Amino acid sequence: MSDTKLKESRQKLGLSQQGIADLIGTKLRTWQDWEYGVTQCPGPVSCLVSLMLHYKCAVKHLQGRDT
């Protein structure tokens, strides 16, 4: 997933950079590096973000608000 697509996806999910970093269990700086194109986002993270976009209820589940 490109850095532009990663940022667009995060914004569509309504999450801050810190929010999505916490959600997927990475450091803010790591997320920012992916989003700014400093380093390439790993395939599994791209897949997870795509799934979160497709199944938005997964975001609530990951945040512990799925009740």
PDB file of all heavy atoms in Angstrom, residues 18-50:
ATOM      1  N   GLN A  18      -1.716   8.568  15.918  1.00  0.00           N
ATOM      2  CA  GLN A  18      -1.503   7.884  17.197  1.00  0.00           C
ATOM      3  C   GLN A  18      -2.557   6.814  17.412  1.00  0.00           C
ATOM      4  O   GLN A  18      -2.257   5.712  17.878  1.00  0.00           O
ATOM      5  CB  GLN A  18      -1.524   8.882  18.357  1.00  0.00           C
ATOM      6  CG  GLN A  18      -1.204   8.243  19.708  1.00  0.00           C
ATOM      7  CD  GLN A  18       0.230   7.762  19.800  1.00  0.00           C
ATOM      8  OE1 GLN A  18       1.156   8.556  19.695  1.00  0.00           O
ATOM      9  NE2 GLN A  18       0.433   6.466  19.991  1.00  0.00           N
ATOM     10  N   GLY A  19      -3.791   7.121  17.041  1.00  0.00           N
ATOM     11  CA  GLY A  19      -4.882   6.167  17.220  1.00  0.00           C
ATOM     12  C   GLY A  19      -4.681   4.886  16.436  1.00  0.00           C
ATOM     13  O   GLY A  19      -4.871   3.793  16.965  1.00  0.00           O
ATOM     14  N   ILE A  20      -4.291   5.010  15.184  1.00  0.00           N
ATOM     15  CA  ILE A  20      -4.097   3.791  14.386  1.00  0.00           C
ATOM     16  C   ILE A  20      -2.833   3.056  14.808  1.00  0.00           C
ATOM     17  O   ILE A  20      -2.797   1.834  14.819  1.00  0.00           O
ATOM     18  CB  ILE A  20      -4.129   4.067  12.869  1.00  0.00           C
ATOM     19  CG1 ILE A  20      -4.384   2.761  12.116  1.00  0.00           C
ATOM     20  CG2 ILE A  20      -2.884   4.786  12.397  1.00  0.00           C
ATOM     21  CD1 ILE A  20      -4.868   2.915  10.709  1.00  0.00           C
ATOM     22  N   ALA A  21      -1.810   3.795  15.208  1.00  0.00           N
ATOM     23  CA  ALA A  21      -0.594   3.145  15.687  1.00  0.00           C
ATOM     24  C   ALA A  21      -0.903   2.307  16.932  1.00  0.00           C
ATOM     25  O   ALA A  21      -0.464   1.161  17.039  1.00  0.00           O
ATOM     26  CB  ALA A  21       0.487   4.182  15.995  1.00  0.00           C
ATOM     27  N   ASP A  22      -1.661   2.882  17.845  1.00  0.00           N
ATOM     28  CA  ASP A  22      -2.056   2.140  19.050  1.00  0.00           C
ATOM     29  C   ASP A  22      -2.894   0.923  18.681  1.00  0.00           C
ATOM     30  O   ASP A  22      -2.729  -0.160  19.250  1.00  0.00           O
ATOM     31  CB  ASP A  22      -2.853   3.032  20.001  1.00  0.00           C
ATOM     32  CG  ASP A  22      -2.018   4.115  20.656  1.00  0.00           C
ATOM     33  OD1 ASP A  22      -0.767   4.026  20.627  1.00  0.00           O
ATOM     34  OD2 ASP A  22      -2.618   5.073  21.196  1.00  0.00           O
ATOM     35  N   LEU A  23      -3.801   1.115  17.732  1.00  0.00           N
ATOM     36  CA  LEU A  23      -4.720   0.052  17.337  1.00  0.00           C
ATOM     37  C   LEU A  23      -3.995  -1.154  16.758  1.00  0.00           C
ATOM     38  O   LEU A  23      -4.342  -2.291  17.071  1.00  0.00           O
ATOM     39  CB  LEU A  23      -5.703   0.617  16.318  1.00  0.00           C
ATOM     40  CG  LEU A  23      -6.991  -0.125  16.086  1.00  0.00           C
ATOM     41  CD1 LEU A  23      -7.810  -0.206  17.365  1.00  0.00           C
ATOM     42  CD2 LEU A  23      -7.797   0.560  15.002  1.00  0.00           C
ATOM     43  N   ILE A  24      -2.977  -0.903  15.951  1.00  0.00           N
ATOM     44  CA  ILE A  24      -2.275  -2.033  15.336  1.00  0.00           C
ATOM     45  C   ILE A  24      -1.046  -2.466  16.121  1.00  0.00           C
ATOM     46  O   ILE A  24      -0.379  -3.418  15.749  1.00  0.00           O
ATOM     47  CB  ILE A  24      -1.900  -1.743  13.867  1.00  0.00           C
ATOM     48  CG1 ILE A  24      -0.868  -0.629  13.764  1.00  0.00           C
ATOM     49  CG2 ILE A  24      -3.138  -1.449  13.043  1.00  0.00           C
ATOM     50  CD1 ILE A  24      -0.275  -0.501  12.377  1.00  0.00           C
ATOM     51  N   GLY A  25      -0.745  -1.752  17.197  1.00  0.00           N
ATOM     52  CA  GLY A  25       0.345  -2.168  18.079  1.00  0.00           C
ATOM     53  C   GLY A  25       1.725  -1.782  17.595  1.00  0.00           C
ATOM     54  O   GLY A  25       2.669  -2.571  17.718  1.00  0.00           O
ATOM     55  N   THR A  26       1.836  -0.586  17.034  1.00  0.00           N
ATOM     56  CA  THR A  26       3.149  -0.110  16.606  1.00  0.00           C
ATOM     57  C   THR A  26       3.399   1.267  17.204  1.00  0.00           C
ATOM     58  O   THR A  26       2.496   1.867  17.788  1.00  0.00           O
ATOM     59  CB  THR A  26       3.242  -0.075  15.059  1.00  0.00           C
ATOM     60  OG1 THR A  26       4.597   0.070  14.677  1.00  0.00           O
ATOM     61  CG2 THR A  26       2.410   1.036  14.462  1.00  0.00           C
ATOM     62  N   LYS A  27       4.593   1.739  17.060  1.00  0.00           N
ATOM     63  CA  LYS A  27       4.927   3.068  17.577  1.00  0.00           C
ATOM     64  C   LYS A  27       4.450   4.138  16.598  1.00  0.00           C
ATOM     65  O   LYS A  27       4.392   3.907  15.383  1.00  0.00           O
ATOM     66  CB  LYS A  27       6.440   3.193  17.769  1.00  0.00           C
ATOM     67  CG  LYS A  27       6.968   2.277  18.848  1.00  0.00           C
ATOM     68  CD  LYS A  27       8.459   2.419  18.990  1.00  0.00           C
ATOM     69  CE  LYS A  27       8.947   1.451  20.069  1.00  0.00           C
ATOM     70  NZ  LYS A  27      10.382   1.529  20.256  1.00  0.00           N
ATOM     71  N   LEU A  28       4.130   5.295  17.128  1.00  0.00           N
ATOM     72  CA  LEU A  28       3.700   6.420  16.306  1.00  0.00           C
ATOM     73  C   LEU A  28       4.738   6.727  15.235  1.00  0.00           C
ATOM     74  O   LEU A  28       4.406   6.920  14.061  1.00  0.00           O
ATOM     75  CB  LEU A  28       3.448   7.658  17.172  1.00  0.00           C
ATOM     76  CG  LEU A  28       3.177   8.963  16.422  1.00  0.00           C
ATOM     77  CD1 LEU A  28       1.934   8.856  15.555  1.00  0.00           C
ATOM     78  CD2 LEU A  28       3.058  10.116  17.404  1.00  0.00           C
ATOM     79  N   ARG A  29       6.001   6.776  15.608  1.00  0.00           N
ATOM     80  CA  ARG A  29       7.068   7.103  14.658  1.00  0.00           C
ATOM     81  C   ARG A  29       7.104   6.108  13.497  1.00  0.00           C
ATOM     82  O   ARG A  29       7.318   6.476  12.335  1.00  0.00           O
ATOM     83  CB  ARG A  29       8.428   7.112  15.380  1.00  0.00           C
ATOM     84  CG  ARG A  29       9.589   7.514  14.519  1.00  0.00           C
ATOM     85  CD  ARG A  29       9.629   9.018  14.337  1.00  0.00           C
ATOM     86  NE  ARG A  29       9.410   9.310  12.921  1.00  0.00           N
ATOM     87  CZ  ARG A  29       9.007  10.468  12.428  1.00  0.00           C
ATOM     88  NH1 ARG A  29       8.745  11.469  13.209  1.00  0.00           N
ATOM     89  NH2 ARG A  29       8.858  10.650  11.148  1.00  0.00           N
ATOM     90  N   THR A  30       6.864   4.842  13.797  1.00  0.00           N
ATOM     91  CA  THR A  30       6.842   3.815  12.750  1.00  0.00           C
ATOM     92  C   THR A  30       5.706   4.083  11.781  1.00  0.00           C
ATOM     93  O   THR A  30       5.891   4.050  10.559  1.00  0.00           O
ATOM     94  CB  THR A  30       6.710   2.410  13.372  1.00  0.00           C
ATOM     95  OG1 THR A  30       7.817   2.181  14.247  1.00  0.00           O
ATOM     96  CG2 THR A  30       6.661   1.333  12.312  1.00  0.00           C
ATOM     97  N   TRP A  31       4.517   4.369  12.323  1.00  0.00           N
ATOM     98  CA  TRP A  31       3.370   4.673  11.455  1.00  0.00           C
ATOM     99  C   TRP A  31       3.675   5.900  10.594  1.00  0.00           C
ATOM    100  O   TRP A  31       3.407   5.901   9.394  1.00  0.00           O
ATOM    101  CB  TRP A  31       2.093   4.893  12.268  1.00  0.00           C
ATOM    102  CG  TRP A  31       0.972   5.224  11.334  1.00  0.00           C
ATOM    103  CD1 TRP A  31       0.560   6.457  10.936  1.00  0.00           C
ATOM    104  CD2 TRP A  31       0.173   4.290  10.612  1.00  0.00           C
ATOM    105  NE1 TRP A  31      -0.448   6.359  10.018  1.00  0.00           N
ATOM    106  CE2 TRP A  31      -0.706   5.032   9.800  1.00  0.00           C
ATOM    107  CE3 TRP A  31       0.106   2.905  10.574  1.00  0.00           C
ATOM    108  CZ2 TRP A  31      -1.642   4.431   8.961  1.00  0.00           C
ATOM    109  CZ3 TRP A  31      -0.830   2.310   9.730  1.00  0.00           C
ATOM    110  CH2 TRP A  31      -1.686   3.062   8.941  1.00  0.00           C
ATOM    111  N   GLN A  32       4.228   6.918  11.202  1.00  0.00           N
ATOM    112  CA  GLN A  32       4.543   8.132  10.451  1.00  0.00           C
ATOM    113  C   GLN A  32       5.547   7.847   9.338  1.00  0.00           C
ATOM    114  O   GLN A  32       5.406   8.371   8.227  1.00  0.00           O
ATOM    115  CB  GLN A  32       5.075   9.207  11.395  1.00  0.00           C
ATOM    116  CG  GLN A  32       4.013   9.768  12.312  1.00  0.00           C
ATOM    117  CD  GLN A  32       4.578  10.678  13.383  1.00  0.00           C
ATOM    118  OE1 GLN A  32       5.726  10.531  13.807  1.00  0.00           O
ATOM    119  NE2 GLN A  32       3.766  11.620  13.840  1.00  0.00           N
ATOM    120  N   ASP A  33       6.538   7.015   9.608  1.00  0.00           N
ATOM    121  CA  ASP A  33       7.512   6.649   8.579  1.00  0.00           C
ATOM    122  C   ASP A  33       6.820   5.968   7.399  1.00  0.00           C
ATOM    123  O   ASP A  33       7.161   6.220   6.243  1.00  0.00           O
ATOM    124  CB  ASP A  33       8.610   5.749   9.148  1.00  0.00           C
ATOM    125  CG  ASP A  33       9.607   6.500  10.009  1.00  0.00           C
ATOM    126  OD1 ASP A  33       9.613   7.748   9.993  1.00  0.00           O
ATOM    127  OD2 ASP A  33      10.397   5.817  10.702  1.00  0.00           O
ATOM    128  N   TRP A  34       5.864   5.101   7.672  1.00  0.00           N
ATOM    129  CA  TRP A  34       5.114   4.449   6.598  1.00  0.00           C
ATOM    130  C   TRP A  34       4.278   5.465   5.839  1.00  0.00           C
ATOM    131  O   TRP A  34       4.255   5.481   4.623  1.00  0.00           O
ATOM    132  CB  TRP A  34       4.195   3.368   7.149  1.00  0.00           C
ATOM    133  CG  TRP A  34       4.865   2.211   7.795  1.00  0.00           C
ATOM    134  CD1 TRP A  34       6.139   1.756   7.578  1.00  0.00           C
ATOM    135  CD2 TRP A  34       4.314   1.354   8.785  1.00  0.00           C
ATOM    136  NE1 TRP A  34       6.397   0.674   8.364  1.00  0.00           N
ATOM    137  CE2 TRP A  34       5.297   0.391   9.122  1.00  0.00           C
ATOM    138  CE3 TRP A  34       3.085   1.285   9.427  1.00  0.00           C
ATOM    139  CZ2 TRP A  34       5.074  -0.609  10.047  1.00  0.00           C
ATOM    140  CZ3 TRP A  34       2.860   0.292  10.354  1.00  0.00           C
ATOM    141  CH2 TRP A  34       3.849  -0.650  10.660  1.00  0.00           C
ATOM    142  N   GLU A  35       3.577   6.320   6.589  1.00  0.00           N
ATOM    143  CA  GLU A  35       2.650   7.260   5.971  1.00  0.00           C
ATOM    144  C   GLU A  35       3.372   8.344   5.182  1.00  0.00           C
ATOM    145  O   GLU A  35       2.848   8.852   4.193  1.00  0.00           O
ATOM    146  CB  GLU A  35       1.765   7.881   7.057  1.00  0.00           C
ATOM    147  CG  GLU A  35       0.555   8.585   6.496  1.00  0.00           C
ATOM    148  CD  GLU A  35      -0.437   9.008   7.552  1.00  0.00           C
ATOM    149  OE1 GLU A  35      -1.066   8.128   8.186  1.00  0.00           O
ATOM    150  OE2 GLU A  35      -0.589  10.223   7.741  1.00  0.00           O
ATOM    151  N   TYR A  36       4.558   8.718   5.602  1.00  0.00           N
ATOM    152  CA  TYR A  36       5.329   9.743   4.900  1.00  0.00           C
ATOM    153  C   TYR A  36       6.250   9.155   3.837  1.00  0.00           C
ATOM    154  O   TYR A  36       6.998   9.884   3.193  1.00  0.00           O
ATOM    155  CB  TYR A  36       6.147  10.587   5.886  1.00  0.00           C
ATOM    156  CG  TYR A  36       5.312  11.332   6.904  1.00  0.00           C
ATOM    157  CD1 TYR A  36       5.763  11.496   8.199  1.00  0.00           C
ATOM    158  CD2 TYR A  36       4.069  11.866   6.585  1.00  0.00           C
ATOM    159  CE1 TYR A  36       5.012  12.179   9.153  1.00  0.00           C
ATOM    160  CE2 TYR A  36       3.301  12.544   7.518  1.00  0.00           C
ATOM    161  CZ  TYR A  36       3.781  12.700   8.800  1.00  0.00           C
ATOM    162  OH  TYR A  36       3.033  13.368   9.736  1.00  0.00           O
ATOM    163  N   GLY A  37       6.239   7.833   3.665  1.00  0.00           N
ATOM    164  CA  GLY A  37       7.040   7.191   2.636  1.00  0.00           C
ATOM    165  C   GLY A  37       8.507   7.039   2.973  1.00  0.00           C
ATOM    166  O   GLY A  37       9.311   6.763   2.092  1.00  0.00           O
ATOM    167  N   VAL A  38       8.851   7.203   4.249  1.00  0.00           N
ATOM    168  CA  VAL A  38      10.251   7.028   4.668  1.00  0.00           C
ATOM    169  C   VAL A  38      10.635   5.555   4.555  1.00  0.00           C
ATOM    170  O   VAL A  38      11.718   5.217   4.067  1.00  0.00           O
ATOM    171  CB  VAL A  38      10.470   7.544   6.109  1.00  0.00           C
ATOM    172  CG1 VAL A  38      11.875   7.257   6.594  1.00  0.00           C
ATOM    173  CG2 VAL A  38      10.149   9.034   6.186  1.00  0.00           C
ATOM    174  N   THR A  39       9.743   4.687   5.012  1.00  0.00           N
ATOM    175  CA  THR A  39       9.923   3.243   4.868  1.00  0.00           C
ATOM    176  C   THR A  39       8.620   2.670   4.309  1.00  0.00           C
ATOM    177  O   THR A  39       7.551   3.271   4.438  1.00  0.00           O
ATOM    178  CB  THR A  39      10.255   2.552   6.210  1.00  0.00           C
ATOM    179  OG1 THR A  39       9.222   2.842   7.155  1.00  0.00           O
ATOM    180  CG2 THR A  39      11.590   3.010   6.756  1.00  0.00           C
ATOM    181  N   GLN A  40       8.727   1.511   3.717  1.00  0.00           N
ATOM    182  CA  GLN A  40       7.553   0.882   3.119  1.00  0.00           C
ATOM    183  C   GLN A  40       6.741   0.149   4.182  1.00  0.00           C
ATOM    184  O   GLN A  40       7.290  -0.552   5.035  1.00  0.00           O
ATOM    185  CB  GLN A  40       7.966  -0.094   2.028  1.00  0.00           C
ATOM    186  CG  GLN A  40       6.794  -0.644   1.250  1.00  0.00           C
ATOM    187  CD  GLN A  40       7.230  -1.470   0.060  1.00  0.00           C
ATOM    188  OE1 GLN A  40       8.408  -1.733  -0.128  1.00  0.00           O
ATOM    189  NE2 GLN A  40       6.284  -1.886  -0.743  1.00  0.00           N
ATOM    190  N   CYS A  41       5.446   0.320   4.111  1.00  0.00           N
ATOM    191  CA  CYS A  41       4.536  -0.368   5.027  1.00  0.00           C
ATOM    192  C   CYS A  41       4.580  -1.870   4.735  1.00  0.00           C
ATOM    193  O   CYS A  41       4.465  -2.275   3.571  1.00  0.00           O
ATOM    194  CB  CYS A  41       3.128   0.188   4.817  1.00  0.00           C
ATOM    195  SG  CYS A  41       1.883  -0.564   5.856  1.00  0.00           S
ATOM    196  N   PRO A  42       4.745  -2.717   5.757  1.00  0.00           N
ATOM    197  CA  PRO A  42       4.773  -4.165   5.538  1.00  0.00           C
ATOM    198  C   PRO A  42       3.437  -4.681   4.989  1.00  0.00           C
ATOM    199  O   PRO A  42       2.366  -4.155   5.305  1.00  0.00           O
ATOM    200  CB  PRO A  42       5.029  -4.737   6.932  1.00  0.00           C
ATOM    201  CG  PRO A  42       5.524  -3.602   7.752  1.00  0.00           C
ATOM    202  CD  PRO A  42       4.958  -2.363   7.155  1.00  0.00           C
ATOM    203  N   GLY A  43       3.523  -5.720   4.190  1.00  0.00           N
ATOM    204  CA  GLY A  43       2.332  -6.314   3.587  1.00  0.00           C
ATOM    205  C   GLY A  43       1.234  -6.672   4.575  1.00  0.00           C
ATOM    206  O   GLY A  43       0.063  -6.359   4.336  1.00  0.00           O
ATOM    207  N   PRO A  44       1.561  -7.320   5.703  1.00  0.00           N
ATOM    208  CA  PRO A  44       0.511  -7.666   6.653  1.00  0.00           C
ATOM    209  C   PRO A  44      -0.220  -6.433   7.219  1.00  0.00           C
ATOM    210  O   PRO A  44      -1.423  -6.483   7.471  1.00  0.00           O
ATOM    211  CB  PRO A  44       1.247  -8.420   7.763  1.00  0.00           C
ATOM    212  CG  PRO A  44       2.438  -8.999   7.073  1.00  0.00           C
ATOM    213  CD  PRO A  44       2.841  -7.951   6.071  1.00  0.00           C
ATOM    214  N   VAL A  45       0.495  -5.335   7.404  1.00  0.00           N
ATOM    215  CA  VAL A  45      -0.135  -4.112   7.904  1.00  0.00           C
ATOM    216  C   VAL A  45      -1.062  -3.544   6.828  1.00  0.00           C
ATOM    217  O   VAL A  45      -2.183  -3.134   7.117  1.00  0.00           O
ATOM    218  CB  VAL A  45       0.915  -3.070   8.350  1.00  0.00           C
ATOM    219  CG1 VAL A  45       0.249  -1.754   8.702  1.00  0.00           C
ATOM    220  CG2 VAL A  45       1.716  -3.605   9.517  1.00  0.00           C
ATOM    221  N   SER A  46      -0.608  -3.545   5.591  1.00  0.00           N
ATOM    222  CA  SER A  46      -1.458  -3.091   4.483  1.00  0.00           C
ATOM    223  C   SER A  46      -2.736  -3.914   4.418  1.00  0.00           C
ATOM    224  O   SER A  46      -3.825  -3.378   4.227  1.00  0.00           O
ATOM    225  CB  SER A  46      -0.713  -3.203   3.145  1.00  0.00           C
ATOM    226  OG  SER A  46       0.374  -2.335   3.110  1.00  0.00           O
ATOM    227  N   CYS A  47      -2.594  -5.205   4.579  1.00  0.00           N
ATOM    228  CA  CYS A  47      -3.752  -6.110   4.555  1.00  0.00           C
ATOM    229  C   CYS A  47      -4.703  -5.792   5.699  1.00  0.00           C
ATOM    230  O   CYS A  47      -5.922  -5.730   5.513  1.00  0.00           O
ATOM    231  CB  CYS A  47      -3.261  -7.553   4.621  1.00  0.00           C
ATOM    232  SG  CYS A  47      -4.578  -8.764   4.475  1.00  0.00           S
ATOM    233  N   LEU A  48      -4.159  -5.579   6.887  1.00  0.00           N
ATOM    234  CA  LEU A  48      -4.985  -5.259   8.049  1.00  0.00           C
ATOM    235  C   LEU A  48      -5.743  -3.950   7.838  1.00  0.00           C
ATOM    236  O   LEU A  48      -6.942  -3.869   8.111  1.00  0.00           O
ATOM    237  CB  LEU A  48      -4.132  -5.172   9.314  1.00  0.00           C
ATOM    238  CG  LEU A  48      -4.858  -4.796  10.603  1.00  0.00           C
ATOM    239  CD1 LEU A  48      -5.969  -5.795  10.929  1.00  0.00           C
ATOM    240  CD2 LEU A  48      -3.877  -4.702  11.746  1.00  0.00           C
ATOM    241  N   VAL A  49      -5.076  -2.942   7.317  1.00  0.00           N
ATOM    242  CA  VAL A  49      -5.721  -1.653   7.070  1.00  0.00           C
ATOM    243  C   VAL A  49      -6.827  -1.826   6.027  1.00  0.00           C
ATOM    244  O   VAL A  49      -7.926  -1.281   6.175  1.00  0.00           O
ATOM    245  CB  VAL A  49      -4.694  -0.582   6.650  1.00  0.00           C
ATOM    246  CG1 VAL A  49      -5.382   0.690   6.188  1.00  0.00           C
ATOM    247  CG2 VAL A  49      -3.745  -0.285   7.809  1.00  0.00           C
ATOM    248  N   SER A  50      -6.574  -2.601   4.987  1.00  0.00           N
ATOM    249  CA  SER A  50      -7.601  -2.859   3.970  1.00  0.00           C
ATOM    250  C   SER A  50      -8.803  -3.561   4.571  1.00  0.00           C
ATOM    251  O   SER A  50      -9.951  -3.215   4.274  1.00  0.00           O
ATOM    252  CB  SER A  50      -7.025  -3.707   2.834  1.00  0.00           C
ATOM    253  OG  SER A  50      -6.044  -2.992   2.132  1.00  0.00           O
TER     254      SER A  50
END
